[in-house]
Amino acid sequence: MTRLPVVILGAGPAGLAAAEAASANGQPVLLVDENPAPGGQIWRGGPPHWSDARAGRLWKALSARPQVKLLCGTRLVACGAPGTLLLDTDHGPRTLAWERLVICSGARELLLPFPGWTLPGVTGAGGMQALVKGGMPVAGKRVLVAGSGPLLLAVADTLQRSGAQVVAIAEHRSGAELARFGGRLALRHPAKLAQALRLFARLRRVPYLRGATVRAASGDERLLSAQLEQGGQVRDIECDFLACGFGLLPTLEIAGLFGCALAHGRVSVDLAQRTSIDGVWAAGESTGIGGVDKALAEGRIAGLAAAGMAASGAERRALASAQAFARLLAHSFAPTPAMRALCTPSTIVCRCEDVRAAELAPHASWRAAKLQTRAGMGACQGRVCGAACGFLYGWEAAGARPPVFPVSAACLASVAAP
Ligand SMILES: Cc1cc2nc3c(=O)[nH]c(=O)nc-3n(C[C@H](O)[C@H](O)[C@H](O)COP(=O)(O)OP(=O)(O)OC[C@H]3O[C@@H](n4cnc5c(N)ncnc54)[C@H](O)[C@@H]3O)c2cc1C
């Protein structure tokens, strides 16, 4: 099997930047992504939907290089023999051999359980945005956006532009905490502040409630209203959708498959984005949540390094600034202990296997809870409840075992007999 010189897993901003940097000197590069089009989360939908000039520039450069190939609708599910990848594609399983690998697998949402969070109509904030970008009609629908962090503004903006009526944005952090965050942005990241102010201007008719937390979602067969607490007062807000965002978590399955060292819930990398495994680099949200600027800066450095080139001083400074913003985000919007109290004993925590908090609480570890209750053993393989239990009980969930995503029997058979 011919070894591909550079394989990039994930074609979001980090993967696209890595591919552009790695292929600049004629190096053959293969980009792999499970989505039907490149762009990752923020540039979801592919080139026809992109308004960000950076995405357009990257795509123009990549499209002009015949040595760059893109495989979409293709998911990495396992490693085969050493130096090979097992991919699940629309046309069946496929094995590839690689020399150097750049992991740009992005992030997923942290979903925290509260009464009613499994009702139809309740989604993650980013999940709701992804559905809308994928064409789900929301025109005229009343949507409450709740949780914490700047993603709430981006989601509310997408919803409003798609014709939804955003009834409010309920931000868990207090006005004083948000003012401190704004002050630090003004001092160190004025472009980010300007971006936030532009979003606020577009959302000027939407009430932005500070220190406000959704305590429960109610309805019979689907969501009818959400119970909102603010300043000790509780009120019901009628809505068709509740989009709740408590933050993002690095996606670690791919790095775990290759045995890359992890620390503090993210892939550990050095200054050249090199992981602990020879020939494997990582970039973007998988090395820590920081948004598109960090993904682009890290992707570029990882791509250069994978092609044997070094980053310039300006590229290093761009990365340092993006990483400082990432630290500020983590410090300002980490989930608070008060969010644990949202989960009552009767709240479902593992929604695949219908396991409630009262059944989980007596256990000492994730493993014990899994064995005794089946939590984490359903279709999502603990991707949702594993992180929730980590937050609720401090349990460390073991990484996913290969195949890291559900696959067809044909795909499994090809692992057994490559
Ligand atoms: C749901 C959601 C919505 C978001 N919305 C916004 C927003 O509106 N504005 C904003 O600034 N930021 C948003 N973010 C943050 C966003 O992650 C970053 O801004 C940016 O997209 C990060 O780029 P990335 O390349 O690191 O990761 P991503 O953009 O997440 O790209 C990772 C890519 O890896 C692919 N991938 C992962 N695992 C596999 C696998 N096993 N096989 C093949 N492909 C794989 C994914 O399909 C994805 O395309 C959002 C994040 C999430 C999770």
Side-chain angles (χ1 to χ4, degrees):
M1 199 185 307
T2 325
R3 287 193 181 277
L4 293 160
V6 178
V7 176
I8 297 174
L9 296 166
L16 292 172
E20 197 278 326
S23 61
N25 285 351
Q27 178 86 253
V29 167
L30 177 73
L31 257 171
V32 176
D33 201 293
E34 62 183 326
N35 281 336
Q41 294 294 355
I42 187 168
W43 299 334
R44 186 175 275 275
H49 299 270
W50 293 347
S51 53
D52 188 330
R54 295 170 298 180
R57 273 198 299 276
L58 284 172
W59 191 243
K60 195 171 165 202
L62 292 172
S63 308
R65 295 182 190 161
Q67 74 274 25
V68 179
K69 303 274 181 261
L70 173 67
L71 270 185
C72 277
T74 302
R75 178 183 258 182
L76 172 73
V77 293
C79 305
T84 65
L85 306 173
L86 177 68
L87 305 171
D88 196 18
T89 79
D90 294 342
H91 313 289
R94 181 170 172 184
T95 308
L96 281 182
W98 54 275
E99 272 173 28
R100 279 153 287 153
L101 202 65
V102 187
I103 300 173
C104 300
S105 55
R108 69 166 58 94
E109 276 191 282
L110 170 65
L111 299 178
L112 295 180
F114 57 88
W117 74 290
T118 52
L119 273 175
V122 184
T123 65
M128 182 77 187
Q129 188 193 44
L131 287 169
V132 170
K133 284 184 180 175
M136 186 177 91
V138 286
K141 299 289 182 196
R142 298 159 304 168
V143 189
L144 174 62
V145 179
S148 194
L151 184 60
L152 302 187
L153 298 178
V155 172
D157 184 48
T158 304
L159 288 164
Q160 184 174 265
R161 279 189 286 132
S162 304
Q165 181 199 343
V166 182
V167 291
I169 301 170
E171 166 60 59
H172 174 76
R173 293 286 177 171
S174 68
E177 288 170 315
L178 294 170
R180 268 198 298 282
F181 174 66
R184 290 186 181 133
L185 277 189
L187 216 58
R188 303 209 187 285
H189 307 281
K192 294 279 181 201
L193 182 63
Q195 193 185 346
L197 292 175
R198 280 197 297 277
L199 278 173
F200 273 120
R202 290 210 288 272
L203 294 165
R204 60 190 172 281
R205 291 198 183 83
V206 176
Y208 184 69
L209 311 173
R210 296 159 183 85
T213 305
V214 167
R215 301 217 71 92
S218 314
D220 296 325
E221 302 213 328
R222 62 164 289 121
L223 175 75
L224 293 174
S225 66
Q227 201 182 76
L228 192 75
E229 183 184 343
Q230 189 185 23
Q233 307 271 321
V234 178
R235 62 185 158 128
D236 276 333
I237 297 194
E238 289 183 6
C239 48
D240 303 302
F241 290 101
L242 167 60
C244 262
F246 295 101
L248 302 176
L249 296 169
T251 302
L252 300 175
E253 286 94 357
I254 296 185
L257 270 180
F258 292 95
C260 301
L262 311 175
H264 311 294
R266 49 185 189 252
V267 186
S268 299
V269 287
D270 69 6
L271 289 175
Q273 302 300 129
R274 211 180 348 234
T275 69
S276 61
I277 300 296
D278 260 358
V280 182
W281 289 260
E285 303 283 59
S286 59
T287 69
I289 304 304
V292 64
D293 293 343
K294 173 177 169 292
L296 289 171
E298 288 191 354
R300 177 151 185 84
I301 290 176
L304 287 171
M309 295 179 273
S312 68
E315 285 162 345
R316 301 224 147 276
R317 283 192 293 281
L319 177 59
S321 163
Q323 289 177 336
F325 175 67
R327 286 192 293 276
L328 177 59
L329 270 187
H331 172 78
S332 308
F333 294 103
T336 65
M339 289 177 181
R340 281 195 192 103
L342 300 176
C343 180
T344 63
S346 62
T347 305
I348 288 177
V349 176
C350 170
R351 62 184 179 184
C352 298
E353 296 287 330
D354 277 357
V355 185
R356 294 176 192 271
E359 297 165 73
L360 291 165
H363 298 287
S365 68
W366 174 238
R367 183 175 158 74
K370 267 180 100 168
L371 289 174
Q372 302 296 323
T373 69
R374 290 197 54 81
M377 293 170 86
C380 90
Q381 289 289 289
R383 281 183 182 82
V384 174
C385 61
C389 286
F391 175 67
L392 292 172
Y393 311 114
W395 296 340
E396 204 170 309
R401 281 192 235 159
V404 289
F405 292 100
V407 290
S408 64
C411 192
L412 273 184
S414 74
V415 186

